[in-house]
Amino acid sequence: MTLNIGVIAGDGIGPEVVREAKKVLDASAAKNGFEINYTEIWMGGCSIDKFGEPLTDEAIALAKASDAVLMGSIGGNTATSPWYRLPPEKRPEAGLLKIRKALNLFANLRPSLLYDELKAACPLRAETAEKGFDFIIMRELTGGLYFGERSTKEVDGVMTAVDTLTYNENEIRRAAVKAFEIARKRRKKVTSVDKANVLDSSRLWRKVVMEVAEDYPGVELEHMLVDNCAMQIVKDPAQFDVVLTENMFGDILSDEAAEITGSIGMLSSASLNDTKFGLYEPSGGSAPDIAGKNIANPIATILSAAMMLRFTFDLDEAADQIENAVKQVLKEGFRTGDIMSEGCKKVNTDEMGSLIAERL
Ligand code: IPM
Ligand code: MG
């Protein structure tokens, strides 16, 4: 079996963390007897520098031709990088939005898991951290405010900006189906998050999600307003299993869900379409301040590679091995700077990658 993996190293810490994920994937391939064929794909600031745009048609074609894409991160310092003096559609993030749309990656899974070993790094109350939590945000990724019509123009002499939030029932349905499918394999609970007390799009969201729920009698469905959900995530995150929500709410809630795990450097994510294809990336950003210093935490990217083995290639055992190796390394007390605590052994990016690869 040969896995055709497109690799977007990207900007900032991207190349360093992707290098470590490839190290772990190669070790897994050797152990489990599969082959990997990597194809380099340019996206983000590095693509702007090289080709004058954040994502070329050729890059999209290469991604489409891959079974899956592993991505580091894109973007730079928005205050100082020249990329942010370009018009919005030429900036690094535009490449990311374009690839999501071009590959129809409507389902974005962002796990939020508190590792036993990292409970001390959890910013929540001690008793909340002690209980632990393990939930997934299923964020709709190709609709809503991100892709609605927008404009900035003068109306009656006043500068006016408009963004539009549109969802049709098909977009809602396919996202909901993914959420229920995932919940069925977990603790069988979906919390659908909306703002149905104000927004029409949320009222349609709620209606369609309830229809989908009828096909999953074994899965419990609850509805929660987004402001309440933001509060519940810090108050009692253990209540959640799968949180289903629209694009913008998911963007915001997933950063909050990441922060409570102690470090965004630990969290993987997957963006999926209707096929087995997926784009796998760490939840964290490009962290330009620490780029090139070999101190970034590569675990989120390594866990994203594990998700890829599981979701795209059905290599569950190989994925389990990686996840267990990560837990093992944490148990042994190895930490990158972002998750360092007293009594632990501080390691840099490439040491962390090697430690995990050795423990598969
Ligand atoms: C994310 C990021 C992106 C988003 C940005 C970089 C466009 O914040 O993946 O959550 O808003 O979707
Ligand atoms: Mg975000």
Side-chain angles (χ1 to χ4, degrees):
M1 178 180 188
T2 301
L3 322 187
N4 287 306
I5 302 178
V7 178
I8 299 173
D11 310 317
I13 58 170
E16 298 161 66
V17 292
V18 161
R19 183 191 63 215
E20 298 313 309
K22 282 168 75 179
K23 188 190 278 176
V24 173
L25 278 173
D26 289 339
S28 178
K31 180 180 168 72
N32 296 293
F34 56 84
E35 312 255 303
I36 305 179
N37 180 13
Y38 296 108
T39 306
E40 190 177 33
I41 301 175
W42 294 80
M43 187 170 98
C46 57
S47 172
I48 296 173
D49 293 344
K50 208 170 153 76
F51 305 110
E53 48 181 316
L55 185 72
T56 63
D57 291 342
E58 199 207 335
I60 294 177
L62 286 175
K64 277 190 178 157
S66 310
D67 299 326
V69 170
L70 179 67
M71 185 187 137
S73 57
I74 53 120
N77 184 320
T78 50
T80 57
S81 164
W83 299 329
Y84 296 93
R85 291 197 284 274
L86 297 166
E89 68 282 3
K90 296 256 189 244
R91 293 179 194 169
E93 286 72 10
L96 184 57
L97 298 185
K98 193 169 160 193
I99 201 169
R100 286 175 180 168
K101 199 66 173 177
L103 300 179
N104 197 24
L105 304 174
F106 63 85
N108 180 218
L109 306 182
R110 300 191 166 182
S112 177
L113 168 70
L114 182 62
Y115 285 85
D116 282 343
E117 290 76 17
L118 299 184
K119 282 186 173 165
C122 172
L124 303 178
R125 307 169 75 102
E127 57 269 32
T128 312
E130 204 32 60
K131 252 170 93 182
F133 52 84
D134 174 5
F135 63 99
I136 289 193
I137 295 186
M138 177 26 259
R139 167 187 176 194
E140 198 291 328
L141 201 59
T142 52
L145 278 171
Y146 277 69
F147 295 96
E149 272 175 40
R150 63 179 105 255
S151 65
T152 307
K153 57 177 186 247
E154 218 175 279
V155 178
D156 300 331
V158 182
M159 284 308 288
T160 307
V162 179
D163 295 281
T164 48
L165 201 181
T166 306
Y167 271 106
N168 69 40
E169 56 179 315
N170 299 333
E171 292 171 311
I172 300 168
R173 191 169 294 111
R174 64 185 184 178
V177 166
K178 276 268 196 246
F180 279 93
E181 287 293 330
I182 292 157
R184 192 150 76 166
K185 295 191 202 147
R186 293 174 46 99
R187 298 196 309 279
K188 302 184 175 49
K189 180 175 170 191
V190 170
T191 305
S192 176
V193 173
D194 60 39
K195 190 71 185 172
N197 52 348
V198 178
L199 302 175
D200 260 31
S201 55
S202 283
R203 286 187 274 268
L204 180 62
W205 183 277
R206 207 174 262 220
K207 177 171 172 283
V208 175
V209 171
M210 281 160 73
E211 286 166 14
V212 171
E214 283 172 22
D215 295 333
Y216 297 87
V219 179
E220 179 198 341
L221 169 66
E222 74 175 356
H223 303 280
M224 194 178 277
L225 296 173
V226 62
D227 46 353
N228 183 29
C229 183
M231 182 178 79
Q232 295 297 332
I233 285 176
V234 289
K235 201 173 158 203
D236 178 22
Q239 70 183 288
F240 297 115
D241 180 21
V242 176
V243 174
L244 163 66
T245 193
E246 63 93 46
N247 204 346
M248 178 63 110
F249 297 160
D251 178 46
I252 298 166
L253 295 177
S254 63
D255 267 23
E256 187 190 10
E259 179 57 26
I260 60 170
T261 67
S263 172
I264 198 162
M266 296 293 299
L267 296 180
S268 54
S269 87
S271 303
L272 309 172
N273 61 22
D274 267 329
T275 70
K276 280 292 200 181
F277 179 90
L279 173 80
Y280 299 85
E281 56 172 309
S283 282
S286 59
D289 50 322
I290 60 165
K293 295 188 179 154
N294 195 29
I295 57 173
N297 186 347
I299 291 180
T301 318
I302 291 168
L303 291 173
S304 301
M307 267 183 130
M308 169 191 287
L309 296 181
R310 192 182 303 287
F311 287 116
T312 293
F313 299 109
D314 290 316
L315 293 167
D316 288 287
E317 211 180 301
D320 289 343
Q321 288 162 4
I322 294 175
E323 289 166 4
N324 290 332
V326 168
K327 284 188 196 140
Q328 181 60 33
V329 164
L330 293 174
K331 203 172 285 165
E332 289 174 44
F334 295 105
R335 302 280 189 274
T336 42
D338 56 318
I339 50 174
M340 184 62 191
S341 58
E342 235 187 272
C344 290
K345 286 160 270 195
K346 192 162 171 179
V347 296
N348 55 30
T349 309
D350 64 338
E351 288 166 331
M352 185 55 102
S354 300
L355 285 163
I356 293 167
E358 284 157 16
R359 277 159 188 73
L360 288 184

PDB file of all heavy atoms in Angstrom, residues 9 25 54 97 99 113 153 178 182 197 207 213 215 228 232 242-243 251 261 283 287 330 337 344 349 355:
ATOM      1  N   ALA A   9       4.077  22.570   3.820  1.00  0.00           N
ATOM      2  CA  ALA A   9       4.855  22.953   5.009  1.00  0.00           C
ATOM      3  C   ALA A   9       4.435  24.354   5.457  1.00  0.00           C
ATOM      4  O   ALA A   9       4.244  24.610   6.633  1.00  0.00           O
ATOM      5  CB  ALA A   9       6.344  22.889   4.706  1.00  0.00           C
ATOM      6  N   LEU A  25       5.666   9.609  10.617  1.00  0.00           N
ATOM      7  CA  LEU A  25       4.968   8.840   9.572  1.00  0.00           C
ATOM      8  C   LEU A  25       5.909   7.823   8.930  1.00  0.00           C
ATOM      9  O   LEU A  25       5.530   6.670   8.688  1.00  0.00           O
ATOM     10  CB  LEU A  25       4.426   9.777   8.488  1.00  0.00           C
ATOM     11  CG  LEU A  25       3.101  10.481   8.773  1.00  0.00           C
ATOM     12  CD1 LEU A  25       2.802  11.502   7.687  1.00  0.00           C
ATOM     13  CD2 LEU A  25       1.942   9.471   8.891  1.00  0.00           C
ATOM     14  N   PRO A  54      -1.189  33.273  -3.007  1.00  0.00           N
ATOM     15  CA  PRO A  54      -1.106  32.336  -1.874  1.00  0.00           C
ATOM     16  C   PRO A  54      -1.427  30.887  -2.227  1.00  0.00           C
ATOM     17  O   PRO A  54      -1.080  29.978  -1.470  1.00  0.00           O
ATOM     18  CB  PRO A  54      -2.125  32.898  -0.879  1.00  0.00           C
ATOM     19  CG  PRO A  54      -3.071  33.712  -1.688  1.00  0.00           C
ATOM     20  CD  PRO A  54      -2.274  34.254  -2.828  1.00  0.00           C
ATOM     21  N   LEU A  97      -8.504  29.556   2.688  1.00  0.00           N
ATOM     22  CA  LEU A  97      -9.944  29.576   2.401  1.00  0.00           C
ATOM     23  C   LEU A  97     -10.210  29.000   1.009  1.00  0.00           C
ATOM     24  O   LEU A  97     -11.179  28.263   0.797  1.00  0.00           O
ATOM     25  CB  LEU A  97     -10.494  31.006   2.510  1.00  0.00           C
ATOM     26  CG  LEU A  97     -10.377  31.659   3.891  1.00  0.00           C
ATOM     27  CD1 LEU A  97     -11.064  33.016   3.906  1.00  0.00           C
ATOM     28  CD2 LEU A  97     -10.969  30.779   4.986  1.00  0.00           C
ATOM     29  N   ILE A  99      -8.403  26.747  -0.662  1.00  0.00           N
ATOM     30  CA  ILE A  99      -8.225  25.290  -0.753  1.00  0.00           C
ATOM     31  C   ILE A  99      -9.395  24.582  -0.064  1.00  0.00           C
ATOM     32  O   ILE A  99      -9.877  23.544  -0.521  1.00  0.00           O
ATOM     33  CB  ILE A  99      -6.847  24.828  -0.200  1.00  0.00           C
ATOM     34  CG1 ILE A  99      -6.508  23.446  -0.786  1.00  0.00           C
ATOM     35  CG2 ILE A  99      -6.812  24.765   1.318  1.00  0.00           C
ATOM     36  CD1 ILE A  99      -5.084  23.004  -0.543  1.00  0.00           C
ATOM     37  N   LEU A 113      -8.864  17.774  23.976  1.00  0.00           N
ATOM     38  CA  LEU A 113      -8.625  16.670  24.909  1.00  0.00           C
ATOM     39  C   LEU A 113      -7.621  17.124  25.961  1.00  0.00           C
ATOM     40  O   LEU A 113      -6.570  17.676  25.607  1.00  0.00           O
ATOM     41  CB  LEU A 113      -8.059  15.479  24.121  1.00  0.00           C
ATOM     42  CG  LEU A 113      -7.465  14.322  24.910  1.00  0.00           C
ATOM     43  CD1 LEU A 113      -8.558  13.559  25.627  1.00  0.00           C
ATOM     44  CD2 LEU A 113      -6.722  13.375  23.974  1.00  0.00           C
ATOM     45  N   LYS A 153     -18.454  49.845   0.918  1.00  0.00           N
ATOM     46  CA  LYS A 153     -18.690  50.984   0.007  1.00  0.00           C
ATOM     47  C   LYS A 153     -19.385  52.129   0.738  1.00  0.00           C
ATOM     48  O   LYS A 153     -19.866  51.961   1.860  1.00  0.00           O
ATOM     49  CB  LYS A 153     -19.488  50.537  -1.209  1.00  0.00           C
ATOM     50  CG  LYS A 153     -20.816  49.893  -0.903  1.00  0.00           C
ATOM     51  CD  LYS A 153     -21.550  49.560  -2.202  1.00  0.00           C
ATOM     52  CE  LYS A 153     -22.933  49.054  -1.904  1.00  0.00           C
ATOM     53  NZ  LYS A 153     -23.183  47.681  -2.230  1.00  0.00           N
ATOM     54  N   LYS A 178     -22.168  14.273   9.371  1.00  0.00           N
ATOM     55  CA  LYS A 178     -20.796  13.977   9.829  1.00  0.00           C
ATOM     56  C   LYS A 178     -20.742  13.951  11.353  1.00  0.00           C
ATOM     57  O   LYS A 178     -20.127  13.076  11.958  1.00  0.00           O
ATOM     58  CB  LYS A 178     -19.814  15.036   9.316  1.00  0.00           C
ATOM     59  CG  LYS A 178     -19.305  14.797   7.920  1.00  0.00           C
ATOM     60  CD  LYS A 178     -17.996  13.981   7.917  1.00  0.00           C
ATOM     61  CE  LYS A 178     -17.331  14.110   6.567  1.00  0.00           C
ATOM     62  NZ  LYS A 178     -17.207  12.995   5.715  1.00  0.00           N
ATOM     63  N   ILE A 182     -19.790  10.706  13.697  1.00  0.00           N
ATOM     64  CA  ILE A 182     -18.661  10.702  14.627  1.00  0.00           C
ATOM     65  C   ILE A 182     -19.142  10.391  16.048  1.00  0.00           C
ATOM     66  O   ILE A 182     -18.544   9.594  16.763  1.00  0.00           O
ATOM     67  CB  ILE A 182     -17.921  12.058  14.579  1.00  0.00           C
ATOM     68  CG1 ILE A 182     -17.241  12.203  13.211  1.00  0.00           C
ATOM     69  CG2 ILE A 182     -16.883  12.176  15.688  1.00  0.00           C
ATOM     70  CD1 ILE A 182     -16.968  13.627  12.830  1.00  0.00           C
ATOM     71  N   ASN A 197     -32.119  32.167  18.784  1.00  0.00           N
ATOM     72  CA  ASN A 197     -32.976  33.209  19.362  1.00  0.00           C
ATOM     73  C   ASN A 197     -32.859  34.527  18.600  1.00  0.00           C
ATOM     74  O   ASN A 197     -33.576  35.465  18.869  1.00  0.00           O
ATOM     75  CB  ASN A 197     -32.658  33.411  20.855  1.00  0.00           C
ATOM     76  CG  ASN A 197     -31.183  33.652  21.123  1.00  0.00           C
ATOM     77  OD1 ASN A 197     -30.352  33.454  20.233  1.00  0.00           O
ATOM     78  ND2 ASN A 197     -30.838  34.063  22.322  1.00  0.00           N
ATOM     79  N   LYS A 207     -33.592  23.268  12.729  1.00  0.00           N
ATOM     80  CA  LYS A 207     -34.624  22.434  12.117  1.00  0.00           C
ATOM     81  C   LYS A 207     -33.983  21.252  11.371  1.00  0.00           C
ATOM     82  O   LYS A 207     -34.400  20.100  11.533  1.00  0.00           O
ATOM     83  CB  LYS A 207     -35.448  23.304  11.164  1.00  0.00           C
ATOM     84  CG  LYS A 207     -36.518  22.574  10.399  1.00  0.00           C
ATOM     85  CD  LYS A 207     -37.415  23.578   9.661  1.00  0.00           C
ATOM     86  CE  LYS A 207     -38.382  22.896   8.722  1.00  0.00           C
ATOM     87  NZ  LYS A 207     -37.779  22.434   7.485  1.00  0.00           N
ATOM     88  N   ALA A 213     -31.200  14.092  13.124  1.00  0.00           N
ATOM     89  CA  ALA A 213     -31.146  13.325  14.379  1.00  0.00           C
ATOM     90  C   ALA A 213     -32.096  12.131  14.358  1.00  0.00           C
ATOM     91  O   ALA A 213     -31.840  11.105  14.995  1.00  0.00           O
ATOM     92  CB  ALA A 213     -31.468  14.237  15.561  1.00  0.00           C
ATOM     93  N   ASP A 215     -32.508  10.034  12.135  1.00  0.00           N
ATOM     94  CA  ASP A 215     -31.833   8.852  11.579  1.00  0.00           C
ATOM     95  C   ASP A 215     -30.830   8.240  12.552  1.00  0.00           C
ATOM     96  O   ASP A 215     -30.197   7.231  12.244  1.00  0.00           O
ATOM     97  CB  ASP A 215     -31.083   9.231  10.291  1.00  0.00           C
ATOM     98  CG  ASP A 215     -32.047   9.656   9.199  1.00  0.00           C
ATOM     99  OD1 ASP A 215     -33.204   9.196   9.232  1.00  0.00           O
ATOM    100  OD2 ASP A 215     -31.636  10.454   8.327  1.00  0.00           O
ATOM    101  N   ASN A 228     -24.018  30.795  25.459  1.00  0.00           N
ATOM    102  CA  ASN A 228     -24.023  29.849  26.579  1.00  0.00           C
ATOM    103  C   ASN A 228     -22.924  28.798  26.394  1.00  0.00           C
ATOM    104  O   ASN A 228     -22.229  28.438  27.348  1.00  0.00           O
ATOM    105  CB  ASN A 228     -25.398  29.177  26.673  1.00  0.00           C
ATOM    106  CG  ASN A 228     -25.506  28.234  27.849  1.00  0.00           C
ATOM    107  OD1 ASN A 228     -24.849  28.433  28.874  1.00  0.00           O
ATOM    108  ND2 ASN A 228     -26.301  27.189  27.717  1.00  0.00           N
ATOM    109  N   GLN A 232     -20.158  27.481  28.886  1.00  0.00           N
ATOM    110  CA  GLN A 232     -20.105  26.085  29.345  1.00  0.00           C
ATOM    111  C   GLN A 232     -18.743  25.440  29.082  1.00  0.00           C
ATOM    112  O   GLN A 232     -18.316  24.561  29.824  1.00  0.00           O
ATOM    113  CB  GLN A 232     -21.209  25.252  28.667  1.00  0.00           C
ATOM    114  CG  GLN A 232     -22.630  25.659  29.026  1.00  0.00           C
ATOM    115  CD  GLN A 232     -22.948  25.482  30.501  1.00  0.00           C
ATOM    116  OE1 GLN A 232     -22.370  24.633  31.187  1.00  0.00           O
ATOM    117  NE2 GLN A 232     -23.838  26.303  31.013  1.00  0.00           N
ATOM    118  N   VAL A 242     -19.627  15.661  21.027  1.00  0.00           N
ATOM    119  CA  VAL A 242     -19.430  16.278  19.710  1.00  0.00           C
ATOM    120  C   VAL A 242     -20.211  17.587  19.685  1.00  0.00           C
ATOM    121  O   VAL A 242     -21.420  17.600  19.934  1.00  0.00           O
ATOM    122  CB  VAL A 242     -19.912  15.353  18.568  1.00  0.00           C
ATOM    123  CG1 VAL A 242     -19.786  16.066  17.223  1.00  0.00           C
ATOM    124  CG2 VAL A 242     -19.111  14.056  18.558  1.00  0.00           C
ATOM    125  N   VAL A 243     -19.519  18.678  19.416  1.00  0.00           N
ATOM    126  CA  VAL A 243     -20.152  19.997  19.321  1.00  0.00           C
ATOM    127  C   VAL A 243     -20.243  20.352  17.842  1.00  0.00           C
ATOM    128  O   VAL A 243     -19.225  20.476  17.162  1.00  0.00           O
ATOM    129  CB  VAL A 243     -19.313  21.057  20.076  1.00  0.00           C
ATOM    130  CG1 VAL A 243     -19.896  22.454  19.857  1.00  0.00           C
ATOM    131  CG2 VAL A 243     -19.240  20.733  21.566  1.00  0.00           C
ATOM    132  N   ASP A 251     -15.084  28.678  14.538  1.00  0.00           N
ATOM    133  CA  ASP A 251     -13.760  29.320  14.573  1.00  0.00           C
ATOM    134  C   ASP A 251     -13.478  29.827  15.976  1.00  0.00           C
ATOM    135  O   ASP A 251     -12.406  29.595  16.541  1.00  0.00           O
ATOM    136  CB  ASP A 251     -13.727  30.470  13.562  1.00  0.00           C
ATOM    137  CG  ASP A 251     -12.399  31.201  13.583  1.00  0.00           C
ATOM    138  OD1 ASP A 251     -11.361  30.511  13.588  1.00  0.00           O
ATOM    139  OD2 ASP A 251     -12.399  32.443  13.598  1.00  0.00           O
ATOM    140  N   THR A 261      -7.026  23.253  26.994  1.00  0.00           N
ATOM    141  CA  THR A 261      -6.232  22.018  27.100  1.00  0.00           C
ATOM    142  C   THR A 261      -4.809  22.305  27.572  1.00  0.00           C
ATOM    143  O   THR A 261      -4.016  21.398  27.741  1.00  0.00           O
ATOM    144  CB  THR A 261      -6.117  21.296  25.745  1.00  0.00           C
ATOM    145  OG1 THR A 261      -5.335  22.113  24.861  1.00  0.00           O
ATOM    146  CG2 THR A 261      -7.463  21.025  25.135  1.00  0.00           C
ATOM    147  N   SER A 283      -4.056  22.649  15.048  1.00  0.00           N
ATOM    148  CA  SER A 283      -5.011  23.741  15.283  1.00  0.00           C
ATOM    149  C   SER A 283      -4.311  25.080  15.484  1.00  0.00           C
ATOM    150  O   SER A 283      -4.907  26.126  15.273  1.00  0.00           O
ATOM    151  CB  SER A 283      -5.864  23.437  16.516  1.00  0.00           C
ATOM    152  OG  SER A 283      -6.847  22.504  16.181  1.00  0.00           O
ATOM    153  N   ALA A 287       2.882  30.903  14.432  1.00  0.00           N
ATOM    154  CA  ALA A 287       3.777  31.345  15.512  1.00  0.00           C
ATOM    155  C   ALA A 287       5.079  31.952  14.992  1.00  0.00           C
ATOM    156  O   ALA A 287       6.166  31.469  15.302  1.00  0.00           O
ATOM    157  CB  ALA A 287       4.067  30.180  16.458  1.00  0.00           C
ATOM    158  N   LEU A 330       4.871  11.875  26.984  1.00  0.00           N
ATOM    159  CA  LEU A 330       4.425  12.827  28.013  1.00  0.00           C
ATOM    160  C   LEU A 330       4.576  12.205  29.400  1.00  0.00           C
ATOM    161  O   LEU A 330       4.995  12.855  30.355  1.00  0.00           O
ATOM    162  CB  LEU A 330       2.969  13.234  27.776  1.00  0.00           C
ATOM    163  CG  LEU A 330       2.687  14.063  26.516  1.00  0.00           C
ATOM    164  CD1 LEU A 330       1.194  14.273  26.347  1.00  0.00           C
ATOM    165  CD2 LEU A 330       3.404  15.415  26.574  1.00  0.00           C
ATOM    166  N   GLY A 337       8.747  23.641  25.302  1.00  0.00           N
ATOM    167  CA  GLY A 337       8.633  24.811  26.167  1.00  0.00           C
ATOM    168  C   GLY A 337       7.204  25.205  26.507  1.00  0.00           C
ATOM    169  O   GLY A 337       6.897  25.585  27.635  1.00  0.00           O
ATOM    170  N   CYS A 344      10.003  18.335  34.747  1.00  0.00           N
ATOM    171  CA  CYS A 344       9.972  17.671  33.435  1.00  0.00           C
ATOM    172  C   CYS A 344      11.264  17.949  32.667  1.00  0.00           C
ATOM    173  O   CYS A 344      12.048  18.822  33.040  1.00  0.00           O
ATOM    174  CB  CYS A 344       8.778  18.164  32.634  1.00  0.00           C
ATOM    175  SG  CYS A 344       7.220  17.579  33.314  1.00  0.00           S
ATOM    176  N   THR A 349      12.082  20.841  19.253  1.00  0.00           N
ATOM    177  CA  THR A 349      11.153  20.281  18.270  1.00  0.00           C
ATOM    178  C   THR A 349      11.628  18.942  17.715  1.00  0.00           C
ATOM    179  O   THR A 349      10.877  17.957  17.697  1.00  0.00           O
ATOM    180  CB  THR A 349      10.980  21.290  17.099  1.00  0.00           C
ATOM    181  OG1 THR A 349      10.676  22.563  17.652  1.00  0.00           O
ATOM    182  CG2 THR A 349       9.874  20.866  16.155  1.00  0.00           C
ATOM    183  N   LEU A 355      11.718  11.278  19.768  1.00  0.00           N
ATOM    184  CA  LEU A 355      11.251  10.500  20.929  1.00  0.00           C
ATOM    185  C   LEU A 355       9.961   9.771  20.594  1.00  0.00           C
ATOM    186  O   LEU A 355       9.785   8.591  20.927  1.00  0.00           O
ATOM    187  CB  LEU A 355      11.019  11.443  22.126  1.00  0.00           C
ATOM    188  CG  LEU A 355      12.294  11.940  22.821  1.00  0.00           C
ATOM    189  CD1 LEU A 355      11.975  13.165  23.694  1.00  0.00           C
ATOM    190  CD2 LEU A 355      12.925  10.843  23.663  1.00  0.00           C
TER     191      LEU A 355
END
